[in-house]
Amino acid sequence: MYYPKSQIKPNLYTNGGEFILSTTKEDYKGDYYKISSGKLYSGKNPTDKPNILLIKPINVTQPTNPTNEVPITYALDTGKEGNNILFTLDPNEYFTNINQSTPPPIRFIPLFNPTLPTDQDKQNGQFNRYFCKKTNELKYLEIDKETYTKLQAKDLQIAWDLYEPASLLWVIKGTQENVFNTNKSSVFKIEQNQRWNGFSQYFKENYSKYYQSQDINDLYTSGGEFTTKNGQNYIGFYHIHNGITPMVGKTHINTPHDVLLPTKKTQLTPQTTSSMMLPTPPIITGGGGSSMGGGGSY
């Protein structure tokens, strides 16, 4: 291309380190000229061939990322399904700052660790059980009090944002029917109030778990202590249901069985019945036998 002399500044010189050849990207040392547009070419002037465009090299800062990876997009799990936060991490920035700051603490997740009733709990007839649910799944887990407390307090040592805690007052004393119904009702309240769908299924209908029976079992009377409801003297095995009610049979069962009525000389109290010992039943020979001896079949 022709350039008038007025638009050319000839006879310039560089010792190198300023420009590179646009064709080979090699450092250029020697004569060059400049045209009015600001472009530079090798040679003293347009007639001094070859006229190769000269360019300035780009200053490249050595990356601090030893892997030379490109920026990566990460998903931050918020614990809510479909609601994750996306963010981009520049590896150069990461590798520069990682040695200048303390790494975040390692958080632990809740583990199955049920709380068991203590001797004091058994006397009180109730104790607290603790559970948690994964925020984005219908998964339930029984945990201990310490884990529950950390979740409640949003402790940084635990993944509190991924689990929801709940506590449950669990009854273990009283009639077995009342214990069962009370615990079942408490579970369903949590299921409804906290929208923990399927929480009740976690218990598999075992609402009498840890039940402290007050029955006194495997007792035997040789007669003269109890009568049946129709007034007959009772000889055979019996048990004291809930520490108060004498009934036919070695142990309490769910099917109907007779209540025994103490005679005047038999005064039953929780203290006396709890100390009753099992006498050796008599050996019955022949076809005779005492009436109402069938109670031992329960």
Side-chain angles (χ1 to χ4, degrees), residues 30-82:
D31 298 313
Y32 71 97
Y33 65 92
K34 182 178 181 180
I35 62 175
S36 58
S37 65
K39 292 183 177 181
L40 310 174
Y41 292 90
S42 62
K44 293 182 179 181
N45 54 58
T47 61
D48 183 15
K49 303 296 183 182
N51 303 133
I52 301 173
L53 178 66
L54 304 178
I55 59 177
K56 290 186 176 183
I58 300 174
N59 292 325
V60 179
T61 303
Q62 182 67 26
T64 55
N65 174 10
T67 61
N68 294 319
E69 294 178 352
V70 296
I72 305 171
T73 299
Y74 293 87
L76 176 63
D77 189 354
T78 62
K80 300 293 184 181
E81 186 173 5

Side-chain angles (χ1 to χ4, degrees):
M1 181 179 291
Y2 173 75
Y3 295 98
K5 290 184 178 181
S6 61
Q7 296 184 17
I8 300 174
K9 186 175 181 179
N11 301 319
L12 302 175
Y13 187 84
T14 176
N15 289 316
E18 293 184 89
F19 313 113
I20 59 174
L21 296 170
S22 60
T23 53
T24 63
K25 303 300 185 295
E26 295 177 348
D27 183 55
Y28 178 73
K29 179 181 179 180
D31 298 313
Y32 71 97
Y33 65 92
K34 182 178 181 180
I35 62 175
S36 58
S37 65
K39 292 183 177 181
L40 310 174
Y41 292 90
S42 62
K44 293 182 179 181
N45 54 58
T47 61
D48 183 15
K49 303 296 183 182
N51 303 133
I52 301 173
L53 178 66
L54 304 178
I55 59 177
K56 290 186 176 183
I58 300 174
N59 292 325
V60 179
T61 303
Q62 182 67 26
T64 55
N65 174 10
T67 61
N68 294 319
E69 294 178 352
V70 296
I72 305 171
T73 299
Y74 293 87
L76 176 63
D77 189 354
T78 62
K80 300 293 184 181
E81 186 173 5
N83 194 29
N84 294 342
I85 299 174
L86 298 180
F87 67 95
T88 300
L89 174 64
D90 184 346
N92 289 333
E93 179 181 354
Y94 172 77
F95 285 103
T96 299
N97 295 332
I98 191 170
N99 294 324
Q100 300 177 4
S101 60
T102 303
I106 298 176
R107 303 193 305 170
F108 69 90
I109 61 173
L111 298 175
F112 175 73
N113 190 16
T115 298
L116 302 178
T118 63
D119 290 340
Q120 185 62 51
D121 293 332
K122 294 175 182 178
Q123 290 185 18
N124 295 337
Q126 59 187 21
F127 73 108
N128 285 312
R129 295 176 71 180
Y130 305 94
F131 302 87
C132 67
K133 173 191 172 296
K134 208 169 182 185
T135 54
N136 59 349
E137 296 181 59
L138 296 178
K139 289 186 177 180
Y140 303 98
L141 194 66
E142 186 164 8
I143 55 178
D144 59 8
K145 183 177 181 180
E146 181 181 1
T147 303
Y148 168 82
T149 302
K150 286 182 180 293
L151 289 174
Q152 280 282 83
K154 297 182 178 181
D155 194 302
L156 296 179
Q157 294 180 350
I158 194 170
W160 60 266
D161 51 329
L162 304 182
Y163 293 86
E164 304 171 13
S167 64
L168 174 64
L169 184 63
W170 193 258
V171 178
I172 57 176
K173 217 167 188 179
T175 66
Q176 192 164 3
E177 182 180 5
N178 287 340
V179 167
F180 182 95
N181 291 334
T182 300
N183 291 334
K184 184 175 183 179
S185 176
S186 299
V187 168
F188 273 87
K189 282 182 181 179
I190 291 180
E191 184 174 73
Q192 182 178 12
N193 295 340
Q194 298 195 200
R195 298 182 180 179
W196 281 16
N197 296 331
F199 180 54
S200 56
Q201 298 176 17
Y202 181 86
F203 296 84
K204 300 179 180 179
E205 290 295 312
N206 191 7
Y207 297 113
S208 298
K209 189 171 185 177
Y210 306 119
Y211 175 66
Q212 299 299 301
S213 173
Q214 300 179 68
D215 294 349
I216 303 172
N217 300 314
D218 294 325
L219 302 176
Y220 185 86
T221 176
S222 298
E225 296 180 272
F226 305 102
T227 61
T228 62
K229 60 183 179 181
N230 57 11
Q232 288 183 301
N233 180 45
Y234 178 77
I235 299 174
F237 288 98
Y238 70 100
H239 62 278
I240 308 296
H241 183 49
N242 284 330
I244 298 176
T245 308
M247 303 184 74
V248 172
K250 286 186 177 183
T251 59
H252 193 72
I253 57 177
N254 292 327
T255 55
H257 51 294
D258 290 339
V259 172
L260 297 175
L261 304 176
T263 61
K264 290 184 178 180
K265 66 177 183 178
T266 305
Q267 300 295 325
L268 289 180
T269 65
Q271 290 76 20
T272 58
T273 56
S274 63
S275 61
M276 285 183 175
M277 300 298 291
L278 174 61
T280 303
I283 299 175
I284 302 175
T285 60
S290 302
S291 64
M292 300 303 294
S297 61
Y298 286 92

